[in-house]
Every structure is written in structure tokens, then in C-alpha cells.
Amino acid sequence: MNYLNSLLSNELIADQRTADKPQTRLWRLSWLCKKSILRYAGLLVLPLLVGHQSYAASTIAQQSITPSALMTGSTYGTWQTEKSDELQLPSLQGQGLSFADQYQNKLLGEWSLQNINGRAKMEHDPWIQETIKDMTWRLNAQVRQQAPLAVVIIDNPSINAFAAPGGVIGINTGTILAANSMDELASVVAHEVAHISQRHYENGADERKKAMLMQIGGMLAAIAASAADGDAGAAVMMGSQTAAMNSSMAFSRNNEREADRVGMQIMTQAGYDPRAMPRFFATMNQQHQLNQVVNRFLPSFVRSHPLSNERLSDSQSRAQRYPPLSLTQQQRHQALFDLLYWRVQTMGQHVSETALTTAAKNSVGAKLALVHWYGEQQRFDEANKTMQQLQGLPAAERQILEPLLSITHSQVLSEQNNWTKAADVLAEQQRLYPERRDLRLYLAEALTNGNQPTQAQALLKPLTKQQPSDRYAWQSLQLANEKLAKTAPSPQVARIATINALRYRSYDQLWNGRYESALISLTQAKRLVDQLDAGAQSSSARPLLANIEQEIKNVKTAKDFKP
């Protein structure tokens, strides 16, 4: 019974850890009041501070950037020229929003995310997500104090990216594969971050807000349609964009020009090459012309972000005002992009063995992807032989491949059901990079399958606190508790693990937009709580029941929300 009570208490403490206390709310209110006074005072002395805009923005970035981003980019910004007007960051808009507006934005962002998750095929690989997220967070930190609500990667070959109010940023795998460098990929994300920071989806009259909702609805419909038929998705997107923006095309064009301008500033401050933006525009324009010749639909990004010759010329002219980079600076992200490009190719099953083996002769990223491909095909001798070649590289070259080298090694071991060895390989990297989400998820999977579900839960729970919409973490927690239910020392412990598995399943279903399924899971969990014996009821089951009832209320709120 002591073991049972301890398990329940730990669960409840973890669930209630982030609950606002009266003192916390009072402190926040006091802080916001002081912040408003300082902002007003700042307006009075603004002329004295204009010359220090870049320094202030970089200070905000240092406060917001993730530890992993610092590890991978400690020398960013050393080549920047701060005298140019082009490098001055825009003002931090959105800080004057009322609490009601902020809450509505939050609900709208969550609604958008739940609908996107439910309608699109996602790329869930944790390493790919971590790489794109770190880049997005670094760019976002230059102009926004709030972190993005979520970054979603859609497994779709078309070139497309989007942003929604509330801070949801999406990018297709086709955009990653169409880019030639990390800087070009950053230019697309920076453009979307600029849309959010400048509140392009929210500013203006009620008519424009209605147009924004039409645009989001069209975007969701296009995502659903393109999952089955790319041309159908294109037609839906084109129709929604025309309907939404027909009455305010000048407003839309101005937004695009501003997003390009601000996006270049964001890229520069984050350490990326702003000249990459017109280069990627040129790639899209070339595909646009090719599609016109063969009577195909435009790339999605061109449809949702009109790419006129004037805009292309303007971006090229503006990029020339930024200082050119040396060859070394241009290649500083290339090793990471090489790994990302080939990881996306293999995880999405977009590449053949012939293409991988050919590319592996000159690309370390392709060779590492080939190891993963061999593992999935159960060709372990070839996988091990190629892995030994990579592990035999000089220490400096091998370190560039981490932690993906260890992740790939562990996945080959996992394919052979050698979960203990896989966990050992991952644990070494996780000790070096404890903040990395991807290592926690891979290690938790190995621990769960290696009959250590309690240790897996300890790794996973902080992820759901940091990012409540993290479906991969919720799914992993569900699996860990299902394993615990099967290996529990008593029926009571097994029942509690089953209850928690149902709760965690409901969170995954909630963020997938499956509200009815989430309610069914929570109802089942509630029934099991009622069946616990009197001893458990008197200790911790009542607070657990209260948590479930609150979770039911949250799902119903999400279900009833209509933008």
C-alpha cells in the first residue's frame, strides 16, 4: 500500500506542479503593471535608444533561446554590420494586447493545431522536429517574447509553409527537400515568423479578420485535400486565398513585402544569410514557370504568398545591401543541412537504395541515412559495416554527426530488439544534452521496451509540461503505462497505470482533434477510479478523480470552441 500511495502522490504532484497559485497570479499582475510603466517610459526616451535597437533585440534573443541552440550556434552574428538601417529590428508588436485578446489568440492557435494534426500526415521523427524547432525558436526569439505555440512538419512533397494566429508555424517536407542550404530553409521560416510578429493575420478591420478565418479554413481544407491529391489541395488553397483576399489584395501585397523585409532582418540577427531568401524565391519562381509550361498547379507557397516579379526583384535588391559572407560562413550550417536533407528523404521513404548508395560516396549525411535504411530492411551486417566506417572518423568529424550518429546506431540495435544496448548508447548522449527532446523520446522508447517504464516516465513528463501539445510524448507516456500495467507488482498498481494510460491517450486524441474519442478515454479512466478499493480511495484517488474531471472539462471546452 505504501508503494501504491507513493505512485499516486508522485502522479498528482506532477499534474498539479504547473497550477497557478494566488501568490503567482499576484506576482504576474504586479510584473505586468511594472512592464507597462516601463514601456510608457521607453516611448519618452525612444529617440535616445534608436541606435541601440540591435543590442536590445539581441538581449531578448539571449533570454529566449534554448540551451541546445546555444550549443549549436555560439558564434552567430559575429559578421553582422549594425550600422545599416536594414539591420534594425521591428518593434515588438503584440505586447499591448489585452488579456482577452491574448486568450482568444491562444484558443485560435490551439484550434488550428488540433485541426491540422487531425487532417495532415505528419513527419514525427524527433530529430527532424528538434532540428527545425531549434531553427524556428532562434528566429522567433529575435522579434517575439513568446515562443511559438507549435512547429508542425507535414509529410508532403509540395513546397509550402504557413503561420496561424497564436503562433503555429508549419512547413512541408517538400520545402526542406527543395532548399539547397539551411539558410534557404531559414528564409522560409523567418518569413512566417515575420507574419506572426507583425500580426498580419490579426491587424485591421473586422472584414480582414473574417478574411483571416476564411484563409485558415481554406488552409486546413487544402492540407486535408493534398494528403490524398496534390492537385485537389492546390485548387482548394487557390480558391480560399482568392475568396479571402479578393477585397484587400493591396493589403496582402504589403504584408508580403513587409514579411520579406522583416524576415531578412530576423535572419541576419539570428546568424543566417539574408541573401538566401531571394535565392529560394528564384527556385520557387523557376518551378512556377516549369509548372506553367506543363499546365500544373503552382507551388503552394507561391499561391499563399504571391511571388510577383516586382517582389522577387525587390528582395534581390534588398539582399544586396547586407554584407556578403565568406565561403566559410556560407558553409557553417551545411553539415547540419546535409544530415537533415537525407534524414527527411529516408524517414519519408522518398529515396531508393541506389540513390542513397550513390550519394553516400560524397555525403556523410547520406551514408548515415543509408545505415538507418539498412536497419529498417533488416540488413544488419551492412548496417554495422557502414556504422563502423562512420565511427572510425576523426573525433572532430564524428562529433559533428552527434547526436544523430548515436540515434541511428540505437535504432539499428532496436530493430534487433537489443533495447538494453540501445538505451546505453542513447543514455550517454542524453547526459551530454539533457535538454534535447529527441534524445529523451528515443531513450524513453528504449527503456519502455526494455521493461523500465518508470524511468521512461521520468524522462517524458517534463516534455508534456513544457509543450502540452506534444503528441509524441503523450503517446510514449501511454505506452510506458501500458507496459507498467502488465508488469505491476499488484492489481491496484496495475489499475492506476491503466487509468494513467487512458488519460495520456486522451491528450493525444485531444491534440489530434478527436474530441469524442478523448471523452470516451477519460470516461473509461473515471470508471476505473471508482472501482479502486477503499484504501486507495481515501488516500489519493479523490484528487486523481478531480484531475480527470478537469481534463473532461478541458476537452469539452476545446470541442465547443468555434473561431
Side-chain angles (χ1 to χ4, degrees):
M1 184 57 69
N2 289 335
Y3 178 82
L4 174 61
N5 291 336
S6 175
L7 179 64
L8 282 165
S9 298
N10 291 338
E11 178 67 32
L12 293 168
I13 289 171
D15 285 339
Q16 296 170 355
R17 188 170 296 155
T18 57
D20 278 350
K21 299 180 180 179
Q23 299 93 323
T24 303
R25 290 195 294 270
L26 182 60
W27 179 87
R28 288 180 179 172
L29 181 60
S30 173
W31 180 80
L32 287 169
C33 291
K34 292 178 183 178
K35 186 177 177 185
S36 299
I37 294 171
L38 290 173
R39 185 181 297 114
Y40 178 74
L43 292 174
L44 300 179
V45 297
L46 183 61
L48 301 176
L49 299 178
V50 169
H52 300 283
Q53 243 181 353
S54 297
Y55 174 77
S58 65
T59 302
I60 292 172
Q62 290 173 8
Q63 293 172 344
S64 304
I65 204 162
T66 60
S68 57
L70 290 172
M71 288 184 184
T72 56
S74 58
T75 60
Y76 291 145
T78 56
W79 50 270
Q80 298 163 17
T81 302
E82 302 209 7
K83 294 181 180 179
S84 170
D85 291 338
E86 288 294 328
L87 301 186
Q88 292 183 355
L89 289 173
S91 61
L92 294 176
Q93 296 194 32
Q95 304 305 312
L97 285 177
S98 68
F99 288 118
D101 287 341
Q102 291 181 40
Y103 180 66
Q104 284 300 311
N105 270 1
K106 176 178 177 291
L107 291 179
L108 184 57
E110 291 175 350
W111 174 85
S112 299
L113 179 58
Q114 290 158 8
N115 278 271
I116 291 168
N117 283 336
R119 301 189 186 196
K121 179 184 178 184
M122 296 294 178
E123 174 52 74
H124 290 296
D125 178 62
W127 185 86
I128 295 175
Q129 289 183 326
E130 184 78 4
T131 303
I132 299 298
K133 188 194 83 170
D134 275 356
M135 178 183 66
T136 304
W137 256 242
R138 188 179 303 127
L139 292 164
N140 179 83
Q142 310 307 313
V143 285
R144 299 182 71 237
Q145 292 177 330
Q146 306 94 337
L149 175 64
V151 177
V152 296
I153 304 172
I154 298 176
D155 187 6
N156 190 293
S158 66
I159 301 174
N160 197 18
F162 60 86
V168 179
I169 296 174
I171 188 168
N172 283 12
T173 54
T175 308
I176 300 172
L177 299 179
N180 294 305
S181 67
M182 210 67 173
D183 296 283
E184 289 189 11
L185 189 58
S187 73
V188 177
V189 177
H191 182 98
E192 299 304 330
V193 170
H195 276 308
I196 296 176
S197 71
Q198 303 307 103
R199 296 177 57 205
H200 287 161
Y201 297 98
E202 300 152 271
N203 282 333
D206 290 339
E207 291 76 12
R208 286 175 183 162
K209 292 183 179 180
K210 292 177 182 178
M212 173 198 71
L213 293 176
M214 290 177 62
Q215 190 170 353
I216 294 175
M219 176 189 71
L220 295 173
I223 288 172
S226 63
D229 186 333
D231 286 349
V236 171
M237 178 69 82
M238 184 177 292
S240 66
Q241 293 294 333
T242 301
M245 292 301 177
N246 187 49
S247 61
S248 56
M249 281 307 295
F251 174 77
S252 178
R253 285 193 292 268
N254 288 338
N255 283 351
E256 291 308 310
R257 282 194 292 267
E258 184 176 39
D260 292 345
R261 174 179 60 81
V262 173
M264 285 187 184
Q265 296 177 35
I266 293 171
M267 292 178 67
T268 302
Q269 295 295 336
Y272 294 100
D273 183 6
R275 296 170 182 244
M277 183 176 285
R279 287 201 299 268
F280 194 70
F281 282 170
T283 298
M284 290 191 294
N285 195 46
Q286 186 177 24
Q287 184 171 342
H288 172 191
Q289 295 173 352
L290 176 63
N291 287 351
Q292 284 183 325
V293 172
V294 297
N295 294 320
R296 293 177 59 189
F297 284 103
L298 305 179
S300 302
F301 192 82
V302 176
R303 290 193 305 275
S304 56
H305 303 69
L307 186 61
S308 63
N309 289 331
E310 176 187 1
R311 182 182 166 204
L312 181 59
S313 176
D314 185 49
S315 67
Q316 290 171 336
S317 175
R318 184 178 293 111
Q320 294 303 316
R321 304 175 195 173
Y322 289 85
L325 301 182
S326 68
L327 182 61
T328 301
Q329 290 169 331
Q330 292 177 29
Q331 295 177 342
R332 66 202 179 287
H333 300 301
Q334 205 55 36
L336 178 61
F337 182 76
D338 183 48
L339 295 175
L340 175 64
Y341 178 88
W342 290 107
R343 181 77 172 180
V344 170
Q345 287 276 28
T346 52
M347 296 306 295
Q349 299 179 343
H350 303 304
V351 66
S352 66
E353 179 184 4
T354 301
L356 277 173
T357 53
T358 301
K361 297 175 182 177
N362 301 306
S363 166
V364 178
K367 182 174 287 188
L368 191 55
L370 183 60
V371 174
H372 182 270
W373 189 88
Y374 281 144
E376 286 190 326
Q377 301 300 315
Q378 308 292 299
R379 292 161 61 175
F380 300 122
D381 289 341
E382 292 162 290
N384 292 332
K385 180 180 178 181
T386 309
M387 177 59 70
Q388 288 172 3
Q389 294 174 5
L390 292 169
Q391 291 173 334
L393 292 172
E397 295 181 32
R398 190 172 63 250
Q399 185 57 37
I400 293 174
L401 304 180
E402 293 292 5
L404 187 56
L405 180 64
S406 294
I407 290 170
T408 304
H409 185 196
S410 73
Q411 288 177 321
V412 173
L413 292 168
S414 299
E415 290 287 346
Q416 302 172 72
N417 291 320
N418 192 347
W419 296 105
T420 301
K421 179 62 177 177
D424 291 341
V425 170
L426 291 166
E428 182 178 352
Q429 287 296 311
Q430 206 272 327
R431 284 191 292 270
L432 294 174
Y433 306 104
E435 79 289 346
R436 287 191 64 114
R437 168 184 177 271
D438 52 350
L439 287 171
R440 283 176 174 264
L441 289 171
Y442 292 125
L443 180 55
E445 179 185 10
L447 290 171
T448 297
N449 285 282
N451 293 319
Q452 300 183 69
T454 303
Q455 292 88 328
Q457 285 198 86
L459 290 169
L460 294 168
K461 285 201 172 229
L463 296 180
T464 61
K465 302 302 179 184
Q466 296 165 10
Q467 191 76 21
S469 60
D470 192 340
R471 291 181 58 210
Y472 200 117
W474 289 120
Q475 291 171 6
S476 299
L477 274 170
Q478 176 190 342
L479 293 174
N481 277 271
E482 288 175 353
K483 174 70 74 170
L484 182 59
K486 295 177 181 178
T487 59
S490 71
Q492 286 293 103
V493 173
R495 179 160 292 180
I496 291 173
T498 303
I499 291 169
N500 287 327
L502 289 167
R503 292 176 58 215
Y504 299 144
R505 185 174 73 180
S506 76
Y507 278 101
D508 176 43
Q509 292 164 334
L510 166 64
W511 289 106
N512 196 30
R514 298 164 56 200
Y515 308 116
E516 292 295 343
S517 297
L519 290 173
I520 291 173
S521 295
L522 289 171
T523 301
Q524 292 172 341
K526 187 176 179 180
R527 288 173 182 168
L528 288 177
V529 172
D530 293 336
Q531 296 171 11
L532 289 173
D533 66 28
Q537 289 275 4
S538 62
S539 57
S540 301
R542 289 174 186 172
L544 181 58
L545 183 61
N547 282 341
I548 293 174
E549 289 174 346
Q550 181 61 48
E551 289 160 354
I552 291 174
K553 182 179 178 181
N554 293 341
V555 173
K556 289 181 177 179
T557 299
K559 177 186 174 184
D560 294 339
F561 176 77
K562 296 294 185 293

